């Protein structure tokens, strides 16, 4: 199943990488104000990049008329990190007899400087200046990206948009009627709400697990998801609109810093989840150095005001992080680490989305709704698979804990409870019997001449004798009885709802079964016998008192010649007077 999932995700990611524009580049066409195109406006624009000196709208129009502009090859023009300022130009035709209002929207919220001009007959009719270097309240229309309501007079209007940023210069623009401008983004708002709600629920769940279990993997996973949400709030514009609208300095670097925090938290979670400290300490040390180096580099670049360098570090680290996570998943599967297949599936899903979104914003693959939001889809799959991985690990930990506890309470040779487990069970049973004034009897059993057996035939035969007697007790014990190895060659059997006469009868049956045991050592045949002490609770108020009574009766059976059952009234049965071998 995991192989099929991973293969399918890989195919999807490959398709994203190989995506090409829907149609070839063509000469910029005039836009219709009455029926603007539904998609991005890149193919309808002329593009002009500044060469070092800031241009004004008049100079831009002059150069465009000289043919210095070019039509971008993609609907959403992209120019990479640290690109020179870019001008986009559209010619919009209004064939109506009155002015029309159309909303121009720039979808990417991280552009530092955005200027929009509307010209008619060569004169500037309107000018807006904004960008994420200015407070949110200074935007013409509050929102996630940048929006401008253009008043287009009858005839032909020229629309210019200037963008400048040290971040990736990605310029997806649309033109729509004002009353329908929000409809196309409604599903995006709903989908973002779903993503945030789903991830916040996982964060809360893992924080609760960390609080209860104190396992750092749960805390690191919660931090990993939190860093993603912070990163997503930054690059979608939600953070600037909701959380820090008056702090453009925060908006300037929050996306880049949160990208590195996202990668660092992911690497730390991976190292803890895969237990690299035990399985691959050198690899864990390398991840620690990589994380520390990335944090130091991005903080240094940000604090010194080198935004372009900060962007290069952040995007480069995220791409490297994605590749490292895939490598860790592959290595984990190869070496059979716990939960490795879940982890690899999550890594393929999450990192494919991360790579697709990073490369599309970077301008290395085509930008569209699917490549831009691929990181969200990938993280949903990543979070789901990692949640399953954590649940699988939690279940395995529980099973190992139960196994360890069982081993700590079980005698490995006879598979009977040990003394500690016997006491835990017997105390509760005895307390119930005393409270309800019910019969309860205890039998102490000791293999006769066990030391001679070990000395004459070896410890292997002695272990076989202990195991054989343990099987006899397991087979004879009823539901509710507690049989255990008391220590050495001694065994104990607690019988609730059983009086002394019934216990003696059971002890006789056990004695007879033990006498039928035969151990082979080469051609020799070894038989066994055992002595029994049977004590019924009378005035004893504690388990230790009952055990002491049975032990004294067992000692009496040894004194009387072994291979017999002795109860409170004295010797009850003596099938054999001779000594056992």
């Amino acid at each position: 199943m995991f192989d099929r999932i991973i293969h399918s995700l890989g195919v999807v990611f490959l398709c994203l990488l190989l995506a090409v524009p829907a149609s070839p580049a063509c000469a910029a066409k005039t836009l219709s104000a009455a029926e603007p195109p539904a998609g991005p406006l890149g193919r309808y624009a002329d593009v002009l990049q500044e060469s070092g000196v800031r241009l004004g709208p008049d100079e831009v129009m002059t150069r465009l008329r000289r043919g210095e502009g070019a039509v971008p090859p993609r609907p959403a023009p992209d120019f990479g990190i640290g690109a020179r300022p870019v001008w986009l130009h559209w010619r919009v035709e209004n064939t109506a007899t009155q002015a029309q209002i159309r909303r121009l929207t720039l979808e990417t919220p991280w552009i530092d400087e955005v200027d929009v001009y509307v010209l008619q007959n060569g004169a500037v009719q309107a000018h807006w200046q904004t960008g994420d270097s200015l407070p949110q309240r200074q935007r013409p229309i509050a929102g996630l990206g940048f929006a401008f309501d253009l008043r287009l007079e009858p005839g032909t209007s020229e629309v210019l948009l200037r963008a400048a940023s040290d971040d990736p210069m990605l310029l997806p623009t649309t033109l729509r009627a004002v009353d329908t401008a929000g409809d196309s983004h409604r599903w995006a708002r709903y989908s973002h709400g779903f993503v945030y709600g789903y991830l916040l629920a996982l964060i809360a769940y893992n924080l609760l697990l960390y609080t209860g279990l104190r396992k750092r993997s749960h805390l690191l996973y919660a931090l990993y998801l939190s860093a993603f949400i912070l990163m997503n709030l930054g690059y979608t514009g939600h953070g600037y609109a909701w959380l820090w609208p008056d702090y453009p300095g925060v908006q300037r670097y929050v996306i880049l810093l949160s990208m590195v925090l996202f990668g660092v938290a992911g690497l730390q979670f991976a190292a803890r989840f895969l237990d690299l400290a035990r399985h691959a300490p050198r690899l864990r040390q390398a991840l620690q150095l990589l994380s520390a180096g990335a944090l130091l580099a991005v903080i240094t670049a940000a604090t010194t005001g080198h935004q372009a360098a900060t962007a290069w570090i952040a995007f480069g680290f995220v791409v490297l992080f994605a590749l490292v996570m895939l490598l860790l998943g592959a290595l984990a599967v190869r070496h059979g680490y716990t939960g490795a297949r879940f982890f690899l599936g999550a890594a393929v899903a999450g990192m494919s989305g991360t790579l697709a979104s990073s490369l599309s914003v970077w301008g290395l693959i085509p930008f569209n709704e699917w490549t831009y939001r691929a990181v969200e889809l990938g993280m949903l799959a990543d979070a789901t698979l990692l949640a399953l991985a954590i649940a699988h690990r939690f279940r395995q930990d529980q099973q190992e804990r139960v196994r360890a506890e069982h081993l700590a309470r079980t005698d490995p040779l006879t598979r009977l409870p040990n003394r500690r487990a016997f006491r835990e069970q017997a105390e509760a049973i005895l307390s119930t019997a005393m409270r309800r004034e019910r019969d309860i009897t205890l039998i102490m059993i000791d293999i006769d001449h066990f030391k001679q057996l070990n000395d004459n035939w070896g410890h292997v035969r002695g272990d076989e004798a202990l195991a054989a007697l343990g099987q006899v007790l397991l087979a004879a014990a009823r539901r509710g009885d507690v049989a255990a190895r008391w220590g050495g060659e001694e065994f104990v059997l607690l019988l609730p709802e059983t009086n002394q006469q019934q216990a003696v009868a059971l002890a006789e049956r056990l004695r007879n079964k033990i006498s039928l045991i035969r151990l082979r050592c080469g051609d020799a045949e070894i038989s066994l016998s055992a002595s029994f002490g049977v004590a019924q609770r009378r005035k004893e108020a504690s388990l230790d008192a009952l055990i002491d009574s049975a032990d004294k009766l067992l000692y009496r059976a040894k004194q009387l010649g072994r291979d017999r059952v002795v109860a409170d009234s004295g010797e009850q049965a003596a099938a054999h007077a001779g000594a056992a071998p």
Side-chain angles (χ1 to χ4, degrees), residues 119-297:
L119 295 80
Q120 196 167 38
N121 298 323
V124 175
Q125 302 296 316
H127 172 218
W128 296 271
Q129 186 175 20
T130 184
D132 79 343
S133 60
L134 298 174
Q136 174 78 211
R137 64 177 180 274
Q138 294 187 19
R139 296 189 180 187
I141 300 173
L144 303 183
F146 305 100
F148 312 87
D149 284 347
L150 312 181
R151 180 181 176 85
L152 303 173
E153 299 293 343
T156 301
S157 298
E158 311 284 347
V159 178
L160 293 172
L161 184 150
R162 179 185 183 272
S165 182
D166 288 327
D167 290 327
M169 186 77 78
L170 176 66
L171 304 175
T173 52
T174 57
L175 187 68
R176 295 186 177 90
V178 174
D179 56 350
T180 62
D183 295 342
S184 62
H185 298 293
R186 185 172 291 113
W187 81 271
R189 292 195 292 270
Y190 290 150
S191 62
H192 278 122
F194 172 78
V195 170
Y196 295 151
Y198 185 76
L199 296 181
L200 285 172
L202 285 178
I203 289 171
Y205 173 67
N206 279 276
L207 288 177
L208 287 173
L209 287 178
Y210 172 72
T211 302
L213 302 175
R214 293 295 172 182
K215 281 186 166 292
R216 286 187 62 192
S217 58
H218 295 292
L219 177 61
L220 290 171
Y221 183 55
L223 292 175
Y224 172 58
L225 295 180
S226 299
F228 172 77
I229 290 179
L230 178 62
M231 180 178 69
N232 190 271
L233 288 171
Y235 76 72
T236 59
H238 288 98
Y240 202 25
W242 299 341
L243 303 178
W244 51 85
D246 297 323
Y247 300 96
V250 173
Q251 178 64 15
R252 190 176 183 88
Y253 287 104
V254 68
I255 303 172
L256 304 174
L257 292 174
S258 61
M259 288 171 66
V260 175
L261 289 175
F262 168 66
V264 168
L267 292 177
Q268 297 306 305
F269 165 73
R272 173 67 63 164
F273 179 81
L274 298 175
D275 197 10
L276 296 183
R278 179 164 62 93
H279 296 301
R282 290 186 178 179
L283 178 57
R284 178 179 179 274
Q285 185 178 15
L287 295 182
Q288 298 290 83
L289 292 174
L290 175 62
S291 299
L295 282 174
L296 179 62

Side-chain angles (χ1 to χ4, degrees), residues 60-132:
V60 170
M61 292 302 301
T62 299
R63 293 192 178 191
L64 289 176
R65 282 192 287 270
R66 291 203 301 258
E68 296 183 21
V71 178
R74 294 173 179 170
D78 50 69
F79 303 91
I81 297 173
R84 299 191 305 273
V86 175
W87 288 82
L88 300 182
H89 164 259
W90 297 276
R91 183 178 295 103
V92 186
E93 184 74 25
N94 179 10
T95 57
T97 58
Q98 58 186 9
Q100 298 189 56
I101 307 298
R102 293 293 179 263
R103 179 163 294 176
L104 177 69
T105 303
L106 174 59
E107 305 289 347
T108 45
W110 59 77
I111 305 301
D112 296 337
E113 300 176 12
V114 180
D115 288 85
V116 172
Y117 300 85
V118 178
L119 295 80
Q120 196 167 38
N121 298 323
V124 175
Q125 302 296 316
H127 172 218
W128 296 271
Q129 186 175 20
T130 184
D132 79 343

Side-chain angles (χ1 to χ4, degrees), residues 396-470:
Q396 285 205 324
D397 288 347
Q398 289 292 92
Q399 291 172 351
E400 289 178 5
R401 191 176 296 111
V402 169
R403 261 195 310 271
E405 187 173 336
H406 175 73
L407 291 174
R409 296 160 52 87
T410 303
D411 175 59
L413 185 60
T414 62
R415 293 188 298 166
L416 291 172
N418 57 22
R419 181 181 297 204
R420 169 191 166 192
F422 173 79
R423 280 191 172 277
E424 291 175 359
Q425 297 178 60
E427 290 283 4
I429 295 172
L430 181 61
S431 176
T432 301
M434 293 174 64
R435 187 171 60 253
R436 297 180 180 178
E437 297 184 352
R438 306 294 296 177
D439 290 333
I440 186 167
T441 306
L442 186 139
I443 303 175
M444 292 289 291
I445 308 161
D446 186 272
I447 299 177
D448 294 329
H449 300 295
F450 186 73
K451 184 177 183 304
Q452 294 180 19
L453 178 76
N454 278 328
D455 292 343
N456 296 335
W457 302 101
H459 289 282
V460 173
R461 301 288 88 78
D463 289 346
E464 290 177 358
L466 293 171
L469 195 145

